[in-house]
Amino acid sequence: MTPAEAQQRISELRAQVVRHDELYYRQATPEIMDFEYDRLKRELADLEAQFPDSGATDSPTTRVGDDRLEGFVTYRHRQPMQSLDNTYSEGDLRAFQQRLVKLFGREDLGYVVEPKIDGIAVSLTYEKGRLVRAVTRGNGIEGDDITANARTIHALAGELKGTGARGTKGAPVPDFVEIRGEIYMSLAEFQRINREREEAGEVLFANPRNLTAGTIKQLDAREVARRKLEVVLYGLGFCEPALDQSEGADVDLTGTQSGLHRLLKAWGLLTVERFWTVRGTEETWRAVQELDHLRHGFAYATDGAVIKLDSFAQQREAGSTTKAPRWAIAYKFAAERAETRLNAIVVQVGRTGVLTPVAELEPVQLAGSTVSRATLHNRDEIARKDIRVGDFVQVEKAGEVIPAVVGVNLARRPPECSAYVFPLQCPACGTRVVQYEGEVAVRCPNVECPAQIRRRVQHFASKAGVDVEGLGEAMIDTLVEKGWVRGIVDLYRLRRDDLLTLGKSVEKSTDNLLAAIETSKHADLWRFINGLGITHVGVAAAKDLAAKFGSLKTLAEAPRDELLSIGGIGETMADAIIAHFNDPLNQVLVDQLLNLGVAPTAPARPADAGAAFLAGRTFVLTGTLPTMSREAATAKIEAAGGRVSGSVSRKTSYVLAGEDAGSKLEKARTLGVTVLNEEEFLQMLGA
Ligand code: IVH
């Protein structure tokens, strides 16, 4: 490569990396897999090393990605948050260790091997043991203040446990400490949210990391509280007094990364599920492999191992480059991928008419299970990747569960393969499909489409709907095929005589089914609201709407500003609700349901201002608050769906403490319950 060619390629690569950094860090919608991104970046770094005159000081290789967004206050880290060099190669890992062996002149260096958590980096500041701030990495120097959002994380300790008393062993609490870790979302929560979106016909999140990134940067903490986030901590930023200087420290707890893990735990923080303390390269490699085996059982997605020099003194001596420490490296596990033949593309029609293409594959082993179907997302994705029936495609587990087709092996494309044509007509009813402006989804617009009816009735009768026992998919298929059910209301018009024709000795099951349908008439109001399948409205919003409006009729007539007064219901959702009830068919549906004797059970106490985002949370009040009476605080908590209790226990979610707080505060501290002052409390309520 001539210097001119190299310069050309370097410019291209820099532009690409900058673009993908923007997509990944700020917009949380990456277009390429981590592996491809890392490869681009590696190629760029290699070229810059070969051609040092290329102006590398202004390259994305020398910076960390920037996650800062409009709308957040920024905060300057007391100690910068660095990134890590990463590699997929065992050779690179050994070379990293060889450099350290050379530097220290000894082979048996001690390392810690720990999981690399695929989440969003966070820095928590505790002053005198109290959580005062949570900040994203930002550009490494300053990040976005996400304190209000982070406080919705249930497991996040508001206070550090510790003794700190002179001469005692244990875990002294520093005056000021930055603790680093990752915010993540469990696979179960990720799937729950995606299921709701799928039902609402919305585009799915690709993986838990993107969803976490999008969630933590919501401007409304109440929105964040709806999605359960978690945290895991593994590192230290600025600390005063420095750990090895604090008096009364149990020496074992300081001076090393392995000691830091124990110290974090002693402070009552959540740390990595496992780490290995090893010596030399062979033991390191064995630990990395063991981690690779164990990581699938971890609560968080683990995309690699981080190998760190154990001794802080040695870390200091090894130092850093502008971007990353020389004492640590990330070894990333290659995503599990398999190549197989795409036998067919079937298009499914959802409840809202969205057409979802699914790949039928030649069965192949992937990450411990046989995969024969994978999602193709939507029409645009198939076109963008030019995926054709007969192709050999790569499948990968996105978020490590749902298999997705990520690419095509063009070298193996059979000559007779022709470009895939997405159906122009609904595969279930033959109606011409439509694509609304600004949507990626292709839809069947026919509300009478049997596929949609089936899905709508299934959704209405499901566990998240009015929950009719004995009304499974097969039964619904039959009812729709027979023409007895053409919509939700028809469930309440089923005739016993018709049902009895379905077979011999079906008397008992028929009566059970009819009884279950009868019972469902009095199901909780939110179940009906969710069951109606209003676009964007999932279980959480349905509960808020039920609490606010108390009846189907009131909801159906609710003006836009009243909908918007509910925390967590934004413009998009409000408009969808209005549009839903503006449709005469849906108005008739509500009237018909009520005429057929449907009488939903309204929530006991309609919550003021909606936002039951504190549902399930228990507060204990203690001391005198600066501006608020206890009654006022209690009313606010209850209006948001929370409970107030008199005594502190492990089950207490928060203690709201004012002046002269006494034993309750003490107890909260010993139990590690999050303590809030009035200001923090109001911030959490979004006031
Ligand atoms: S140590 C200076 N340890 O990975 C050391 N980072 O690619 C910096 N990460 O920015 C971080 N798990 O957000 C460290 N066990 C772990 C980690 C970890 C995940 C993240 C972190 C970092 C990024 C670097």
Side-chain angles (χ1 to χ4, degrees), residues 25 81-86 114-122 137 181-182 234-235 257 261 272 303 306 308 324-325 327-328 330 332:
Y25 289 107
M81 285 178 86
Q82 286 180 302
S83 183
L84 286 175
D85 281 333
N86 67 52
E114 58 188 47
K116 179 170 187 332
I117 301 115
D118 195 12
I120 304 300
V122 68
R137 187 171 69 180
E182 299 292 293
Y234 51 69
Q257 175 66 16
H261 281 299
V272 292
D303 62 349
V306 182
K308 302 174 178 174
W327 47 265
K332 298 233 265 182

Side-chain angles (χ1 to χ4, degrees), residues 85-342:
D85 281 333
N86 67 52
T87 178
Y88 288 87
S89 119
E90 185 188 342
D92 285 352
L93 171 56
R94 287 181 188 268
F96 154 81
Q97 293 185 301
Q98 273 318 306
R99 285 194 294 277
L100 292 172
V101 165
K102 223 167 126 193
L103 176 68
F104 291 100
R106 46 189 279 203
E107 295 276 343
D108 64 340
L109 291 167
Y111 299 93
V112 165
V113 175
E114 58 188 47
K116 179 170 187 332
I117 301 115
D118 195 12
I120 304 300
V122 68
S123 177
L124 305 173
T125 302
Y126 287 85
E127 285 181 17
K128 302 231 180 300
R130 283 174 60 87
L131 176 67
V132 294
R133 212 173 296 105
V135 184
T136 65
R137 187 171 69 180
N139 63 356
I141 303 295
E142 60 172 38
D144 283 344
D145 186 326
I146 53 160
T147 313
N149 290 350
R151 283 198 199 279
T152 69
I153 301 175
H154 201 51
L156 183 58
E159 203 128 330
L160 299 180
K161 281 196 277 187
T163 57
R166 182 175 274 268
T168 50
K169 275 201 158 198
V173 169
D175 293 336
F176 182 105
V177 60
E178 290 175 329
I179 297 171
R180 267 87 197 251
E182 299 292 293
I183 294 179
Y184 70 95
M185 183 180 282
S186 75
L187 223 46
E189 176 69 353
F190 169 70
Q191 288 170 323
R192 179 189 72 78
I193 292 167
N194 256 355
R195 234 181 350 256
E196 281 195 13
R197 287 178 75 88
E198 191 166 25
E199 284 170 2
E202 292 171 302
V203 182
L204 303 189
F205 291 104
N207 58 53
R209 190 217 163 258
N210 294 356
L211 181 48
T212 307
T215 303
I216 205 66
K217 291 295 186 87
Q218 295 271 340
L219 289 169
D220 186 344
R222 288 171 293 189
E223 280 283 335
V224 182
R226 283 191 196 290
R227 301 177 181 167
K228 218 166 143 256
L229 294 173
E230 323 269 349
V231 68
V232 50
L233 299 156
Y234 51 69
L236 199 64
F238 183 76
C239 182
E240 198 171 56
L243 280 185
D244 21 19
Q245 292 161 15
S246 47
E247 288 189 41
D250 180 333
V251 242
D252 253 13
L253 289 177
T254 59
T256 60
Q257 175 66 16
S258 46
L260 177 66
H261 281 299
R262 285 187 286 270
L263 179 58
L264 294 173
K265 203 170 229 163
W267 279 338
L269 299 172
L270 290 161
T271 56
V272 292
E273 295 206 22
R274 269 213 64 176
F275 66 88
W276 287 256
T277 315
V278 296
R279 277 196 185 281
T281 46
E282 293 319 312
E283 276 186 32
T284 302
W285 184 241
R286 269 201 299 279
V288 169
Q289 284 169 309
E290 199 180 334
L291 170 62
D292 193 8
H293 277 111
L294 293 177
R295 68 191 166 113
H296 297 291
F298 291 173
Y300 34 76
T302 303
D303 62 349
V306 182
I307 298 95
K308 302 174 178 174
L309 267 179
D310 194 17
S311 150
F312 287 165
Q314 285 179 347
Q315 289 182 6
R316 279 192 290 269
E317 201 175 330
S320 302
T321 65
T322 47
K323 195 195 101 179
R326 288 199 188 85
W327 47 265
I329 193 168
Y331 172 83
K332 298 233 265 182
F333 302 120
E336 287 171 86
R337 223 176 232 217
E339 191 165 297
T340 188
R341 209 182 99 97
L342 174 62

